Amino acid sequence: METNLISSETVKKLFQETWRQQSKYYDYRKPLFTQMFMGQHPLAWKDQHPHGCERHLSTFERYNIIPEYCFSCYKVLAEPRTVVELFKLMLVFERMTLEQDNTRKCMTENRPGVEGAYKGIIYSRSLTEAQGIAEKLAELIGKNISNKVPVTIKRGCSEYVARFPYYALSGTGTLEYNPRWREIEHSVNVQWSSRPTPAPGHIHQPGIYTAEDAQAMMGWLKYAATIGDASYRKISWPLQPFHNVTRPTPYTPPADDEADGN
């Protein structure tokens, strides 16, 4: 496979130049965000509820049902092994061309009980679409980062799978939407109809790094310092860890030098 690996030095220069330009706009009284969205805004998805995933997750938590909309939601998941690889994945996401400009995000995993540390997610509205994206993403990651970064397909949110394990399956044995839930969802929609429509959140534009983007990058690096991922020192100066972040499984750095040595 022809490769054009993104170097750690490229990532270092990108972060430090972004921070130099944008940190003066950062409000240190606010918590650091650790997600960066790209592509189509989540609220712009076809047939999406005006309140998007907030409505769906709230319905799940309150009524213990999975909304019908979420049964056709599939995620292509890449799991960088270090924070350096997370930055490189951000650049891969920037360069990707997708027919639907699918929503994608880079993030650190902060949810209690959910395993993993660094994640890149591309959202799709069918399994077939997700399979095509996964193949393309795996090829790009192999050329630009490492062929040891796993790429898989997941269905919907981890919160759903924890409570309804068969929701995660495809084919025989998968959980199907219960038609009796539609009455509950209709009641939910009535309740939500009086709420103001949320303003779209920040979407990162490729090659343009704002104060919000700089804040997300700093959040990733402080997270790395918190969990013991020493690779962050290849990008940044020493940082104070977060005091309220714990992971269900300890962080284990990759054994090979390829993960952050380029």
Side-chain angles (χ1 to χ4, degrees):
M1 177 188 295
E2 182 182 352
T3 60
N4 186 24
L5 294 174
I6 300 169
S7 70
S8 298
E9 187 62 25
T10 295
V11 171
K12 177 182 177 179
K13 290 179 179 177
L14 185 153
F15 164 68
Q16 295 200 3
E17 179 63 17
T18 299
W19 190 252
R20 184 186 67 80
Q21 293 181 2
Q22 300 295 341
S23 61
K24 58 188 173 185
Y25 302 113
Y26 170 58
D27 186 348
Y28 286 85
R29 295 168 297 180
K30 295 181 178 180
L32 282 170
F33 300 126
T34 56
Q35 299 189 38
M36 183 187 293
F37 281 87
M38 290 169 257
Q40 186 182 56
H41 195 281
L43 294 177
W45 299 347
K46 182 180 179 181
D47 300 324
Q48 176 65 286
H49 188 277
H51 291 83
C53 295
E54 181 186 5
R55 177 267 188 198
H56 306 321
L57 286 169
S58 173
T59 301
F60 167 73
E61 291 295 343
R62 184 171 182 181
Y63 297 101
N64 197 37
I65 69 171
I66 298 176
E68 187 170 14
Y69 189 82
C70 302
F71 276 79
S72 58
C73 177
Y74 289 86
K75 301 186 298 187
V76 178
L77 172 66
E79 298 187 81
R81 299 166 296 165
T82 68
V83 73
V84 174
E85 287 189 342
L86 182 64
F87 274 82
K88 293 179 182 181
L89 182 62
M90 175 195 73
L91 292 175
V92 169
F93 276 6
E94 285 188 355
R95 299 169 185 178
M96 284 190 79
T97 300
L98 297 172
E99 184 177 350
Q100 302 298 325
D101 195 23
N102 300 61
T103 305
R104 43 207 183 269
K105 69 177 179 180
C106 292
M107 59 177 284
T108 59
E109 183 55 80
N110 302 326
R111 292 170 293 179
V114 180
E115 295 188 355
Y118 307 109
K119 296 179 179 179
I121 298 172
I122 303 177
Y123 294 86
S124 63
R125 296 299 302 158
S126 73
L127 179 58
T128 300
E129 182 184 33
Q131 290 168 336
I133 292 173
E135 182 177 352
K136 181 174 185 177
L137 180 61
E139 181 179 0
L140 287 171
I141 288 176
K143 289 180 177 179
N144 291 281
I145 305 175
S146 168
N147 58 15
K148 296 182 181 180
V149 175
V151 176
T152 55
I153 297 174
K154 305 288 185 182
R155 192 183 192 188
C157 293
S158 300
E159 291 87 345
Y160 297 163
V161 177
R163 202 172 297 176
F164 295 94
Y166 290 106
Y167 169 78
L169 303 177
S170 60
T172 304
T174 188
L175 176 71
E176 301 291 341
Y177 181 74
N178 188 336
R180 290 178 294 179
W181 291 349
R182 287 200 181 96
E183 185 175 347
I184 297 174
E185 290 210 66
H186 175 72
S187 174
V188 168
N189 288 340
V190 171
Q191 297 169 29
W192 281 74
S193 64
S194 61
R195 300 192 182 195
T197 302
H202 174 68
I203 295 291
H204 168 65
Q205 301 301 312
I208 302 173
Y209 301 100
T210 65
E212 290 88 348
D213 299 327
Q215 178 173 284
M217 294 177 189
M218 178 57 74
W220 298 345
L221 294 166
K222 285 180 65 67
Y223 178 93
T226 302
I227 66 173
D229 175 10
S231 77
Y232 89 91
R233 294 291 299 274
K234 292 181 177 292
I235 301 175
S236 174
W237 47 91
L239 296 170
Q240 291 297 314
F242 290 121
H243 298 294
N244 57 346
V245 173
T246 57
R247 303 303 314 128
T249 53
Y251 173 75
T252 302
D256 63 296
D257 294 332
E258 180 183 333
D260 51 67
N262 294 303

